[in-house]
Amino acid sequence: MIRDFLDSLSESIERLGDTIRFLARILAQVPSAVLRPQLIFDQIYNAGALSLVIIMLSGLFVGMVLGLQGYDLLQRFGSEDALGTAAAIGLVRELGPVVTALLFAGRAGTALASEIGLMRATDQLSAMEMMAVDPVRRVVVPRFLGGVIAMPLLAAIFSMIGIYGAQLVGVQIMHVDAGSFWSQMQASVELRDINEGIVKSAVFGIACSLIAVYQGYHSAPTAEGVGTATTRTVVTSAVIVLFLDYLITAFFLK
Amino acid sequence: MNATSPIIDLRDVRYSVGGRTIFDGLDMQVLRGQVTAVMGPSGTGKTTLLRLITGQATADSGSIDVAGVAVTRSSRSQLYAMRQRMGMLFQNGALLTDISVFENVAFPLREHTRLPERLIRHLVLTKLQSVGLRGAAGLMPAELSGGMARRVALARAIVMDPQILLYDEPFVGLDPISMGVILRLIRRFNDALGLTSIVVSHDVHEITAVADRVFLLSGGRVVAQGTPLELRDSPSDVVKQFVGGLADGPVPFHYPAPDYFEELLARDGGRFA
């Protein structure tokens, strides 16, 4: 059993190294891919605009729950005026980047992985290689960059809608004073809170996009292979995002 | 550079994958300007041979020369430069599914050249006309039949005016009319465009009608070669079995297995789990 564990551990480390080598290959091709911005714009649309509805809906509900829970918690200490601060910091620093990344992996990551995997399974990537077109440059890099750019924007939209949702419940339903809700938020949310959110969503965007294109590009060229790649994209992304979240949080609070 | 010098030259090529030996001492010379057929039973590595020639797979040992390029010792960028002079028709066409027929044929031009749009349009339409599908330029790949998809892929393969055209199983799953069309195109393109063509196939009758020279692969090496007529009259058992379509012979009907009766009577059936 220990042997199995060690085997799977060494396999994971091998895959991690492989993924980082793939990242290096992607980064080397970024300059030439940037020369054709239309390909990247298309992918920002695919990864970003098409995820908007699910991100906005989820942001609204998460914000509303935060408003309710936060109100219940804070009124025990008689400090429900701090609801605006609590909701904003919770969303911007933590829930916005993390929940967006998880949704992003489920919506955009799986789409990327299965699209690239199917291109592999139907010889489209080999056909490009035969036409002397590097599929990493033509297919992988624009999709990776599209995800990397879209993810922080989605996280920002998520946090914004979430704050609106918290306000909806806290101010409109629970009758927290609107003035103190907004002014306390303005007074106590600092630039470093925002920075933490930006760093997190950027890092999660890189991680989720990289995992998705790596899994798709290296999937076995069969129906089963594409399915496995899609599943792995979601599972790996979720675990990696939560792990990185801890690291970044610890870094910012040290 | 005379007309009969080999443009593709494989010498003593060995290749194995996952512990299974695919080629063991393969020698093959393909002459410039000819249609060369590579035949052999399924699983002899005919498609792998094309991957070795194009450098998508690397031989364990031996040398592969394609139009003066040592494929086995070339870098990725050298291989890409070589591939710009080659076209390949994949088994299912391998069209890019998210762009139209027109854009598929235009794809290599847009990637490798900076031609003005008018010229690209002109080139694409003439190539589509030559495969009879100019009318389908606006369709998406999903709207094409199997035969049409392969013809579009053929137009795409010749749009950069290659020297060498490779066909991977071009007849599989086609109706007799589409098959006839592809056969005629192979011959016509080879002669009109001054190409060298390699056709990998196991359709004996179709291929012998079009090929100048035939290689028969079996067990990881070339077991017979010659003109289609020479092969038909060959005394070799393998050739007779393949050309005649006999179920059993030097290429056995049965995949290697333990003794039949012992296996049927064995108590534990765990071997297949």
Side-chain angles (χ1 to χ4, degrees):
Chain A
M1 203 179 88
I2 292 173
R3 190 183 197 99
D4 282 355
F5 175 73
L6 286 178
D7 279 354
S8 79
L9 188 71
S10 81
E11 195 184 308
S12 306
I13 292 172
E14 219 167 87
R15 192 170 300 143
L16 182 69
D18 220 28
T19 312
I20 288 169
R21 269 180 35 207
F22 193 59
L23 177 64
R25 200 172 151 197
I26 290 176
L27 293 179
Q29 297 284 357
V30 165
S32 59
V34 172
L35 293 178
R36 296 176 66 183
Q38 192 54 48
L39 291 177
I40 302 174
F41 293 156
D42 290 349
Q43 296 307 325
I44 296 177
Y45 176 80
N46 279 343
L50 296 181
S51 310
L52 261 182
V53 174
I54 170 178
I55 293 290
M56 290 169 75
L57 269 180
S58 313
L60 184 69
F61 292 137
V62 168
M64 287 165 72
V65 169
L66 210 55
L68 217 51
Q69 295 277 21
Y71 177 80
D72 180 61
L73 184 72
L74 291 170
Q75 58 93 23
R76 296 181 194 185
F77 308 103
S79 50
E80 57 267 33
D81 286 348
L83 181 62
T85 311
I89 287 185
L91 278 164
V92 170
R93 269 172 45 171
E94 203 56 53
L95 288 167
V98 171
V99 179
T100 306
L102 298 179
L103 291 169
F104 181 80
R107 162 65 187 73
T110 52
L112 282 183
S114 58
E115 186 191 11
I116 299 176
L118 272 175
M119 291 177 85
R120 157 86 58 213
T122 53
D123 280 339
Q124 294 184 47
L125 298 182
S126 304
M128 280 191 194
E129 292 233 326
M130 266 316 296
M131 291 185 276
V133 174
D134 183 358
V136 169
R137 178 173 59 80
R138 182 62 174 70
V139 175
V140 172
V141 173
R143 283 165 176 75
F144 173 76
L145 288 179
V148 167
I149 295 169
M151 169 60 207
L153 299 175
L154 290 173
I157 293 171
F158 183 98
S159 295
M160 198 181 70
I161 304 264
I163 290 171
Y164 175 79
Q167 181 271 153
L168 203 66
V169 171
V171 176
Q172 310 295 332
I173 299 176
M174 296 302 181
H175 303 296
V176 174
D177 180 60
S180 52
F181 181 92
W182 293 114
S183 65
Q184 285 230 10
M185 187 191 302
Q186 202 179 1
S188 51
V189 176
E190 294 171 20
L191 190 61
R192 69 183 176 95
D193 299 319
I194 310 280
N195 285 343
E196 186 178 338
I198 292 174
V199 168
K200 277 184 180 173
S201 54
V203 171
F204 297 166
I206 293 170
C208 289
S209 305
L210 178 62
I211 290 167
V213 294
Y214 174 85
Q215 291 293 352
Y217 193 78
H218 293 92
S219 68
T222 57
E224 194 190 0
V226 176
T228 312
T230 317
T231 311
R232 277 208 190 134
T233 299
V234 180
V235 176
T236 317
S237 296
V239 174
I240 292 283
V241 160
L242 296 172
F243 171 67
L244 289 174
D245 184 42
Y246 174 77
L247 285 189
I248 300 173
T249 308
F251 174 79
F252 270 89
L253 290 182
K254 75 169 187 215
Chain B
M1 271 243 188
N2 63 58
T4 50
S5 65
I7 190 167
I8 297 176
D9 192 350
L10 289 90
R11 293 199 187 268
D12 197 24
V13 170
R14 279 162 217 281
Y15 180 72
S16 58
V17 62
R20 202 166 78 92
T21 303
I22 309 284
F23 296 122
D24 188 10
L26 180 77
D27 280 297
M28 184 183 284
Q29 282 75 41
V30 174
L31 299 184
R32 198 178 294 273
Q34 292 198 336
V35 175
T36 301
V38 177
M39 300 202 293
S42 306
T44 41
K46 300 190 294 294
T47 302
T48 310
L49 177 68
L50 294 185
R51 289 171 54 80
L52 287 172
I53 291 175
T54 58
Q56 290 184 290
T58 313
D60 300 336
S61 68
S63 75
I64 302 174
D65 261 55
V66 178
V69 178
V71 174
T72 35
R73 282 177 316 225
S74 292
S75 67
R76 190 192 290 259
S77 58
Q78 285 171 317
L79 286 177
Y80 275 9
M82 175 192 84
R83 288 180 196 153
Q84 286 196 38
R85 295 181 283 142
M86 301 172 102
M88 177 158 169
L89 183 69
F90 283 82
Q91 213 170 106
N92 55 13
L95 296 175
L96 307 178
T97 43
D98 55 341
I99 52 178
S100 67
V101 165
F102 181 94
E103 285 301 322
N104 261 289
V105 180
F107 185 83
L109 295 172
R110 291 198 198 287
E111 292 294 322
H112 293 304
T113 69
R114 295 201 173 277
L115 296 176
E117 191 58 39
R118 270 179 61 91
L119 193 52
I120 289 186
R121 193 180 131 81
H122 180 86
L123 282 171
V124 171
L125 290 182
T126 50
K127 301 302 180 194
L128 279 173
Q129 174 76 6
S130 69
V131 296
L133 289 175
R134 186 167 46 86
L139 298 181
M140 293 303 281
E143 298 172 277
L144 304 175
S145 70
M148 287 164 83
R150 238 167 276 186
R151 278 150 70 189
V152 172
L154 192 51
R156 182 177 69 176
I158 58 167
V159 78
M160 294 288 285
D161 292 325
Q163 298 177 356
I164 302 171
L165 204 45
L166 309 171
Y167 300 83
D168 187 5
E169 303 276 10
F171 312 115
V172 168
L174 292 186
D175 64 84
I177 300 175
S178 306
M179 211 182 252
V181 169
I182 299 276
L183 267 176
R184 233 182 49 198
L185 289 175
I186 292 176
R187 190 73 244 182
R188 199 207 292 167
F189 284 154
N190 192 77
D191 299 346
L193 305 176
L195 300 171
T196 303
S197 310
I198 299 182
V199 187
V200 155
S201 176
H202 45 227
D203 292 276
V204 176
H205 299 287
E206 284 69 24
I207 205 61
T208 49
V210 72
D212 297 311
R213 195 166 180 77
V214 179
F215 288 89
L216 186 61
L217 297 185
S218 186
R221 52 178 67 223
V222 174
V223 290
Q225 56 174 301
T227 64
L229 272 179
E230 284 169 8
L231 236 64
R232 204 182 59 194
D233 301 332
S234 162
S236 150
D237 286 342
V238 185
V239 180
K240 273 189 191 155
Q241 186 194 357
F242 193 76
V243 175
L246 310 174
D248 213 348
V251 178
F253 171 70
H254 288 290
Y255 192 81
D259 186 77
Y260 188 34
F261 287 106
E262 269 179 30
E263 181 145 5
L264 284 182
L265 297 173
R267 282 185 183 278
D268 62 328
R271 197 162 73 87
F272 307 109

